[in-house]
Amino acid sequence: MTNREIAAVFDQIADLLEFQGANPFRVRAYRNGARRVGDFPEPLAAVSEDPDRQLTDIDGIGKDLAEKIEHLLTFSRLPMLEELQAEVPAGVMALLRVPGLGPKKAAALHKELQIDSLDRLRAACEAGEVQKLKGFGKKTEETILKGIDLAAKADQRMRWAAADEIVAELREHLSTVDGVRQLEAAGSYRRGKETVGDLDFLVDADEATAVMDALGEFPGVDETIVRGDTKMSVRLDSGLQVDLRVVPTRSFGAALQYFTGSKEHNVEVRGRAKAAGLRVNEWGVFRVSEDDADQGPQSGEYVAGETEADVYAALDLPCFPPEMREARQEFRWAEQGELPKLIELADLRGDLHMHTTATDGKASLDEMIAAARQRGYEYIAITDHSQRVTMAGGLDPERLRRQWAEIDRVNKDLDDLVVLKGIECDILEKGGMDLPDDVLAEADWVVASVHYGQQQSREQITDRILGALEHPSVNVIAHPTGRLINRREPYAVDVEAMIAAAAKHGKLLEINANPMRLDLDDVNAASAQRRGIPLVINSDAHSTAGLDVLRYGVLQARRAGLTAADVANTRPWTEFKKLLKA
Ligand code: DGT
Ligand code: CA
Ligand code: CA
Ligand code: ZN
């Protein structure tokens, strides 16, 4: 079992215990254990197998947890979890997937209203029964109702980063099968969409049987949904469906084009083909006369199909990068004769939003700097939280100035990296910034963001953000809409007004690359770009490993049609620094 899977078991135990009203210390021991295990930098299996080391040497892992970890590593299951699960109806635990519903509230709903499923919870909310319970209320009831929709949606679509891990495993598993010549994951995954409904795998091989057998034997498979001669669908333990198609070489490019989609993009492609007397489908591009029309999908003269580039070329179209294929701007660009050269990860030269142990980060200033140098960055900004963010141990002016003095010292010895003295300054609920103007004026780089009062009205929250954009020291708004994919809707903020204000005051907007956030999203980032606002793609890292999420932000930027020139942190330091005190 991986650390992540072991951590999930401990979290589940904590949920179940808490639901049963167990001793809070016991609950906390499992929660902490889950966190320690999840954060541990190497596989616990390696520690367990190493004769010179003990699991109990790990901070926060006592004898009891160590034994459970050993058991999980050996048997991949835990009797204690199974016993607890037998005591609590599964439907009740499903309630915990509703954002804002913890084990305590779920227990109350079960006890008072006998709610044991999401459907019953919805009915009870709609009947107004939930708001009458002690500790609930009208507002909570509304939040729960919204949360049920989100939980239902979250069941259907997986975040891209999670899907990417599964794709990598499947790719490795299937590519070793004899006779597999090419292998691609098409669909929304290939287009880099923030969530994917299912995975669409294409394999170039003569013999489908061996490939389908291999898919059936993939360790993550829960059940086979259908299996035909060349097509198969399975459901994984995670709930994700995987569609597999085995196609001949002459059709691989056509199938890849067809199954990458999007549907809307393909409608346009087919329309153009038809106008040119061609038929394009998953088998290839065919020149058709009237008589061929009813003779099946592969009738007529085969024109192209081996590669995607051939398919598009046969239609006199450029080979669109998959992220563009949403029927938004790509056909207009093609008509104008040139597609924009989309930004790539290697274009980024800096990262302007990250945390350290001074607040809620897990790595020290020195460690973050070392990690940034290792990645070859030219500049970074250290942006810990400000004082209002008490949960993260936010910095008051004194602690912040101490950190800045430390950064000054470190900078003197660095010749390959510039470290900016930054701050992620909270935009207060009542409006205004969380630190005095004179403090903010000393910063090299000020990231402003909303953490509290996220439920405010459109007018209130828009005013707050516009106020921050007017502040002379603020450089950028971080995660500008506050959404968490599958977990929390965006604030009610008027995004167009925010973009207009950023344009007016010469401020930047962030594409937060955390795979839970991706905020701004592709559509909003495209609007910002059209208004000429530079975007910055930031990791918002809370650990050294957290720096590596930038690639998810780049994918979102590519979907927005951004080039390197549209993203400020692609600029060399000498150019970038002109933005600082502009
Ligand atoms: P998803 O899975 O919901 O995240 O989105 P996609 O885009 O991966 O959609 P999916 O898996 O239903 O199908 C993959 C691609 O195959 C889709 O983007 C376009 C193509 N496709 C699938 N079904 C149809 C169809 O009925 N008509 C057309 N024109 N294309 C289809
Ligand atoms: Ca799909
Ligand atoms: Ca599909
Ligand atoms: Zn942050």
Side-chain angles (χ1 to χ4, degrees), residues 157 187-188 191 196-198 200 258-263 266 270:
R157 302 192 63 86
S188 53
R191 302 198 310 279
V196 305
D198 67 9
D200 306 279
Y258 182 90
F259 290 108
T260 295
S262 65
K263 219 173 255 181
N266 285 353
R270 269 199 306 279

Side-chain angles (χ1 to χ4, degrees), residues 388-495:
R388 169 68 182 90
V389 188
T390 44
M391 263 177 39
L395 302 176
D396 58 21
E398 192 193 323
R399 288 176 63 213
L400 180 57
R401 282 183 167 127
R402 253 197 319 236
Q403 186 189 50
W404 285 348
E406 180 65 26
I407 291 176
D408 275 336
R409 264 197 302 282
V410 175
N411 255 329
K412 277 202 209 93
D413 298 328
L414 286 173
D415 52 11
D416 57 350
L417 177 77
V418 176
V419 183
L420 296 177
K421 291 176 283 185
I423 179 74
E424 177 174 5
C425 188
D426 187 60
I427 304 169
L428 298 172
E429 288 106 305
K430 59 184 193 322
M433 304 299 290
D434 184 28
L435 289 167
D437 290 350
D438 64 315
V439 177
L440 291 179
E442 285 171 37
D444 298 322
W445 179 254
V446 177
V447 171
S449 62
V450 167
H451 295 98
Y452 299 93
Q454 301 187 8
Q455 307 289 339
Q456 286 177 351
S457 71
R458 185 175 178 85
E459 198 185 349
Q460 271 178 307
I461 202 144
T462 304
D463 278 352
R464 279 168 75 189
I465 294 176
L466 295 197
L469 284 164
E470 280 170 28
H471 192 287
S473 297
V474 168
N475 296 93
V476 60
I477 305 291
H479 37 78
T481 77
R483 64 103 174 239
L484 292 178
I485 298 172
N486 284 348
R487 296 258 307 267
R488 191 169 78 203
E489 296 293 337
Y491 333 126
V493 57
D494 180 344
V495 175

